[in-house]
Amino acid sequence: MLYLVPTPIGNLEDMTFRAIRILKESDLILAEDTRTSAPLLKHFGIDKKVFAHHQHNEHKAVGEIIRFLKEGQQIALISDAGTPAISDPGFLLVRQAIKEGITVQCLPGATAFVPALVNSGLPNDKFCFEGFLPVKKGRQTRMKLLSTEKRTMIFYESPHRLLKTIEEFIQYFGEDRQASISRELSKLYEENVRGTLEELKNHFENNPIKGEFVFCVAGGETAQRDRNTE
């Protein structure tokens, strides 16, 4: 059995009882960064073998992990925060496990984009999750394609690229496009900033840019509908 176990994105109280039980019952835990997972596991009294499973070794490690699973071991995969395989390692292992007829279960739990979307106040009946945009190759092509997207769009972004991304969104979506940026979700200094892209740019040009960011941008259809009702 392969379990994908979500871990808190900030607040440890968001860890589920089932997640703790599965981790305690597992023969082996795969962690994106063992240094990050160590305090979490210690906090919940989980003392198990932990191996690193990240983007730099996941291709090589899949074969050995599949062998362990076929031998009857129960393995749990966790990422540094949130749900594994959502902009984190996990997809390759899940795909291969399914091919090999191994049972895979993903526990429900924390993931950053859901609270950010709900907090945004933007339409959430239909949306598209883009995760991290390409850093270089393919970035502009992706932006052009998204310029015609009608659904609310969700992105992850790092602090050092946030302002650049806002400026690019203004270029492709227009400065009046409604958006919301959430940071430090579930933590003490959680912040949700809403407004036009131009207003968000002004805010973050004049305030510290710290933490990990979830960026929600209204779709083109929403923007046009809002203009029609003014």
Side-chain angles (χ1 to χ4, degrees):
M1 177 78 81
L2 172 65
Y3 285 100
L4 280 74
V5 181
T7 53
I9 59 175
N11 194 321
L12 290 180
E13 292 181 354
D14 293 334
M15 192 74 167
T16 69
F17 292 119
R18 186 182 176 206
I20 296 170
R21 177 178 62 80
I22 292 298
L23 292 175
K24 286 184 175 181
E25 292 177 353
S26 294
D27 300 298
L28 171 66
I29 296 173
L30 304 174
E32 184 180 1
D33 187 331
T34 56
R35 295 166 299 181
T36 300
S37 62
L40 173 77
L41 298 176
K42 182 179 180 181
H43 179 83
F44 291 107
I46 300 166
D47 184 16
K48 293 289 180 177
K49 291 185 293 184
V50 182
F51 290 173
H53 185 75
H54 46 71
Q55 62 177 342
H56 302 296
N57 74 350
E58 60 178 333
H59 285 85
K60 296 181 180 179
V62 165
E64 186 174 16
I65 296 169
I66 294 297
R67 178 171 62 83
F68 289 157
L69 288 164
K70 285 187 170 181
E71 290 173 354
Q73 294 195 46
Q74 176 173 303
I75 297 179
L77 172 64
I78 61 176
S79 60
D80 288 346
T83 300
I86 302 296
S87 294
D88 279 322
F91 165 70
L92 294 177
L93 179 57
V94 169
R95 181 176 64 180
Q96 191 60 37
I98 292 171
K99 285 183 179 179
E100 299 287 343
I102 296 165
T103 302
V104 178
Q105 285 191 12
C106 180
L107 277 61
T111 189
F113 78 82
V114 173
L117 173 61
V118 176
N119 282 336
S120 73
L122 299 173
N124 55 31
D125 54 333
K126 295 179 182 179
F127 60 89
C128 64
F129 174 70
E130 290 291 321
F132 289 98
L133 286 166
V135 177
K136 294 181 180 179
K137 186 177 180 181
R139 186 177 178 91
Q140 301 306 316
T141 299
R142 193 69 200 152
M143 291 279 197
K144 289 177 183 177
L145 289 172
L146 291 171
S147 66
T148 60
E149 176 59 61
K150 297 180 179 179
R151 298 168 295 178
T152 298
M153 297 166 280
I154 308 170
F155 306 87
Y156 287 163
E157 193 51 277
S158 60
H160 66 278
R161 281 199 298 267
L162 182 68
L163 281 175
K164 177 185 175 183
T165 298
I166 295 175
E167 290 170 355
E168 289 175 322
F169 283 172
I170 289 174
Q171 177 185 347
Y172 286 97
F173 304 143
E175 63 181 16
D176 293 330
R177 183 71 65 92
Q178 290 292 316
S180 173
I181 295 179
S182 299
R183 71 177 189 91
E184 300 293 274
L185 285 165
S186 82
K187 300 178 182 178
L188 181 61
Y189 297 106
E190 175 176 331
E191 181 182 27
N192 297 281
V193 184
R194 308 170 185 88
T196 66
L197 288 172
E198 184 65 26
E199 289 170 340
L200 295 182
K201 178 186 175 184
N202 292 336
H203 174 85
F204 286 104
E205 283 178 337
N206 295 286
N207 290 277
I209 301 177
K210 296 181 180 180
E212 295 297 320
F213 294 82
V214 186
F215 205 145
C216 297
V217 182
E221 188 175 64
T222 301
Q224 183 61 50
R225 186 169 62 244
D226 288 346
R227 284 195 292 269
N228 291 339
T229 58
E230 290 178 353

